[in-house]
Amino acid sequence: MGDPLVTLPELIRAVRGARTQAVEQELVQRECARIRGAIRTGDPQAGTTNLTKLLYIHLLGYPAHFGQMECLKLLASPQFHQKRIGYLGAALLLDERQDAHLLLTNSIKNDLAHPSPCVQGLALACLGCLGSAGMCRDLAGEVQRLAGDAPAPVRRKAVACAVHMVRKVPELSDIFVPVCDRLLKEHSQGLLHGTLLLITEMCERSPDVLNHFRKAVPRVVEMLHNLEVSGYSLEHSIMGVSNPFLQVRALRLLRILGQGSEEASEAMNDTLAQVATNTETLHNVGSAVLYETVLTITAVHSAPGLRVLAVNILGRFLLSRDRNIRSVALMSLLRLVRVEQSALQRHRATVLACLRDPDPTIHRRALDLSLALMTGANVRTMTQELLGFLETCPLAMKPPCASGLLFAAERFAPNKRWHIDTMLQVLTMAGSSVPDDAVSRLIQLIVGAGELHPYIVRRLYGALACDISQQPLVQVATWCIGEYGDLLLADSCEEAEPVQVEEGQVLALLERVLQSHLSLPPTRALALTALMKLSTRLSGDIDRIRRIVSVFGSCHDIELQQRAVEYNALFRKYDHLRASVLEKMPLVKAEEEEGAEVVAPGGQKRAPSSTAQEEPSQVADLLDLLGGPPADPLVPAGSDTPVAESLLDLLEDVTTAPPIPPLTVWEGDGLRLDFAFQRPPADPHLLLITASASRTRPGTTSGFLLQAAVPKSLQVQLEAPSGTSVPGPDGAPLSQQLRVRNPGQAPLRMRLRLAYTPPAGVPVQETLEINDFPAAAWQ
């Protein structure tokens, strides 16, 4: 290495022969020193050799910024081989933040006017790689000229460079519109591909350009039709599909041009149907074209039969052996579940079969789609399938599956007994993976099902006797046994198998729960309270209960110790009050709760549980709002108000209602929640709020749940949401309507709780309070 004129191959061999990192660094440092010396002396013969070695050193990860000016010198050289190395060095060593852009701009401008197409191609490639906004503005005219009048290879590079310019400076779109009009008439498929890409970029950034190119839809449709009917071409066909890259590019442009335009959508319907029916799916190439066709059909105003065809194509994708294709199909079907519910129901069995796929991504998306496909008509069969999946699925899948099943059971339950049985099954199979509020919600449901109490308490007693490891189920069972334990000894249950239960067995079971190492502190607290309640419901050995309670008076757990001491005092000093203190819990109505009312999707009101757990209720945690006297209740659907009179009131002076500006209430994690307002003129005290959840970034948000509350002087009711998943920017937003009654026209305040699972897969819960409603929404 003593010779300073070391060639690039010799340098590469020396670097590869270095045995340690230290030897390599020493070698590179010596060579960089020689290159710096050669640059200072200005040796013209070694310029290209030194720069190529410097680029290799840069690729190894060592600093090579001192060669930037050498790149600019070679750019100005009249010799092509030096100019080529100069442009390569500029692309690697320079970026938009360098101060040498003025010199680079002048060199590129001179080369764009060079008579040689090769030099023009080098300049266009460099400009498209690192052109800044200022360079794009200065050189847009030269690029436009080359895109229209240069030889075909240069025109292709000019169109690609124009794409970079439009992305960098969107206002330059108007310059390239006339050129694109001419280029659409070309027959070169490579040039057409670049032209369609340029038109797509311009239409996405300029509504005026979008309206202009909607006139070109017949030309793009004709191009797509010619590709579909053309025979095999050695130059462009791949796996029997004629130029799939150009087909995909044309379909993406049609998708943009057809959105919001029925005329443009109608012009492309026949060709889309032809592509969808004639493209084979034996290879990934055909599947890619079909997938883009499906996206275009579902995005534009296509015919109903064509949309059903798109759903059937995605259904065929679910049968593919390629997991990537199945995953894409599940994600696409999830975006279509709102608008094509009936067509998707035909593929329900195929979607459920995907739950057995070992790939975690596939069965996660299959779970989201299965939950979205649940309706009142199929809730029984779908629940049985999902319960089977819940029993065998990986631990990471149990929380979303359990949450989805609980929500679906609450929303579509045919009767209370089925609802309670389903929730008990979920608690048995999911264990600690159920949501935090599942226990309190189930207890509240049980309290309101008075006619089922004998059946419920016997079933829970049997489940608790078999297994005390599932803590949520144990907590519900101990609460019910303590509250309705007297029904275990009575023969009042006709729906369950007759089982002879003795008082000693019940007490022994609760004592077993108290002494088990599997029981959590809240579970032991519930079991201790259940024993105390049984002291007033059973007529057996009260001394045994007193002895069990007294043992925990010296427990290390402070909460359990405090309960035991208080219960012992109740036995010793206030035994005459024990029956009244431990009487059964009354049925709690949502309107009677302290604080504001919580309304869940579907209009069902939720009340906080009366369990002994030391966790704040949903109302106290979420809705600590101050308010005046309660408002008049909302008029139910079955009220005595004459239907004809209500309809006439709604139809009268509809256009006179002043518009209320929309409100963006929350944005985060790529998710945005917007409120749109409407006040029916016939009922000035009623405000209709349409909540729309949409994503601003790619990805799908699953498990979306919205809860709302208002002060006591107002009332709010939530309708059922349109779904549980929020698709990406290309999908339709999730919507849900809130009905707020404000008879006193008080300033509107609302507290929201949002629960969702972002694409990252970690559940998120947000609580926010809104005090900046438009005045027109409540005055």
Side-chain angles (χ1 to χ4, degrees), residues 393-409:
C393 69
L395 186 62
M397 290 298 301
K398 287 185 181 292
C401 184
S403 300
L405 278 171
L406 293 176
F407 179 76

Side-chain angles (χ1 to χ4, degrees), residues 105-141:
T105 302
N106 292 332
S107 298
I108 291 178
K109 186 173 183 179
N110 294 332
D111 289 339
L112 289 177
H114 198 279
S116 172
C118 296
V119 175
Q120 292 176 345
L122 288 175
L124 288 169
C126 182
L127 179 59
C129 176
L130 52 86
S132 62
M135 294 174 62
C136 292
R137 292 188 181 94
D138 294 338
L139 302 175

Side-chain angles (χ1 to χ4, degrees), residues 581-620:
V581 170
L582 300 174
E583 64 182 5
K584 291 185 178 181
M585 292 292 296
L587 178 61
V588 180
K589 297 182 180 180
E591 293 84 0
E592 297 175 356
E593 295 177 21
E594 181 180 357
E597 84 179 14
V598 183
V599 183
Q604 296 181 353
K605 301 173 183 177
R606 297 179 183 167
S609 169
S610 60
T611 64
Q613 301 182 28
E614 291 299 313
E615 58 182 22
S617 67
Q618 289 186 5
V619 175

Side-chain angles (χ1 to χ4, degrees), residues 620-663:
D621 180 33
L622 172 63
L623 309 169
D624 188 15
L625 296 176
L626 299 177
D632 296 333
L634 291 171
V635 179
S639 63
D640 297 332
T641 304
V643 177
E645 180 180 348
S646 299
L647 290 175
L648 289 176
D649 291 342
L650 288 175
L651 293 174
E652 184 178 9
D653 296 334
V654 173
T655 59
T656 61
I660 304 176
L663 178 65

Side-chain angles (χ1 to χ4, degrees), residues 28 87 134 139 186 238 260 262 293 309 452 577 606 617 661 689 699 711 771:
V28 170
Y87 273 115
L139 302 175
E186 294 287 337
I238 301 176
E262 294 186 4
T293 306
L309 176 61
L452 296 176
L577 298 176
R606 297 179 183 167
S617 67
I689 304 176
N771 296 317

Side-chain angles (χ1 to χ4, degrees), residues 356-374:
R356 296 186 289 272
D357 194 285
D359 189 290
T361 303
I362 291 180
H363 59 234
R364 176 58 188 265
R365 291 181 175 175
L367 174 62
D368 292 339
L369 183 56
S370 300
L371 293 172
L373 288 175
M374 294 184 86

Side-chain angles (χ1 to χ4, degrees), residues 15-272:
V15 170
R16 289 182 175 177
R19 294 183 178 274
T20 63
Q21 183 71 22
V23 173
E24 178 185 310
Q25 290 177 356
E26 182 181 358
L27 178 64
V28 170
Q29 288 173 1
R30 287 202 307 265
E31 190 60 36
C32 287
R34 295 191 184 100
I35 294 174
R36 286 193 188 95
I39 291 176
R40 281 195 299 268
T41 58
D43 185 2
Q45 302 298 326
T48 56
T49 302
N50 287 332
L51 187 57
T52 53
K53 291 190 293 183
L54 196 59
L55 294 179
Y56 173 67
I57 291 173
H58 171 73
L59 294 178
L60 291 177
Y62 296 98
H65 57 278
F66 56 88
Q68 293 173 353
M69 295 306 298
E70 191 69 14
C71 296
L72 297 177
K73 290 179 182 179
L74 293 179
L75 283 178
S77 173
Q79 299 182 13
F80 178 74
H81 73 282
Q82 292 183 347
K83 192 180 291 291
R84 181 179 60 181
I85 297 298
Y87 273 115
L88 177 60
L92 291 175
L93 301 181
L94 295 176
D95 56 39
E96 298 180 11
R97 295 167 292 182
Q98 302 299 330
D99 298 331
H101 267 204
L102 181 59
L103 298 174
L104 182 62
T105 302
N106 292 332
S107 298
I108 291 178
K109 186 173 183 179
N110 294 332
D111 289 339
L112 289 177
H114 198 279
S116 172
C118 296
V119 175
Q120 292 176 345
L122 288 175
L124 288 169
C126 182
L127 179 59
C129 176
L130 52 86
S132 62
M135 294 174 62
C136 292
R137 292 188 181 94
D138 294 338
L139 302 175
E142 284 77 3
V143 175
Q144 179 200 19
R145 176 181 59 80
L146 292 177
D149 301 331
V154 179
R155 296 170 73 187
R156 286 198 298 270
K157 291 188 177 181
V159 171
C161 183
V163 172
H164 172 77
M165 288 183 164
V166 170
R167 290 171 177 171
K168 210 71 181 172
V169 188
E171 55 264 26
L172 293 178
S173 299
D174 296 337
I175 299 178
F176 298 104
V177 169
V179 177
C180 291
D181 287 334
R182 296 199 305 272
L183 292 177
L184 279 176
K185 301 176 183 178
E186 294 287 337
H187 297 287
S188 171
Q189 295 191 9
L191 188 56
L192 284 174
H193 183 277
T195 303
L196 294 180
L197 175 59
L198 178 57
I199 295 174
T200 302
E201 295 291 336
M202 293 190 298
C203 291
E204 287 178 343
R205 288 162 174 79
S206 174
D208 295 334
V209 176
L210 176 62
N211 293 329
H212 173 82
F213 280 107
R214 280 200 172 118
K215 304 174 185 176
V217 168
R219 176 71 187 95
V220 181
V221 168
E222 181 184 0
M223 181 194 312
L224 189 60
H225 173 75
N226 293 337
L227 288 172
E228 189 63 29
V229 300
S230 63
Y232 175 78
S233 171
L234 182 62
E235 183 179 2
H236 300 112
S237 295
I238 301 176
M239 297 294 183
V241 180
S242 179
N243 202 338
F245 299 102
L246 185 57
Q247 288 195 51
V248 168
R249 185 54 59 194
L251 288 167
R252 290 181 180 176
L253 178 57
L254 290 176
R255 182 159 71 244
I256 295 175
L257 297 177
Q259 288 179 348
S261 174
E262 294 186 4
E263 182 180 357
S265 302
E266 185 177 356
M268 63 183 76
N269 274 345
D270 294 340
T271 302
L272 291 177

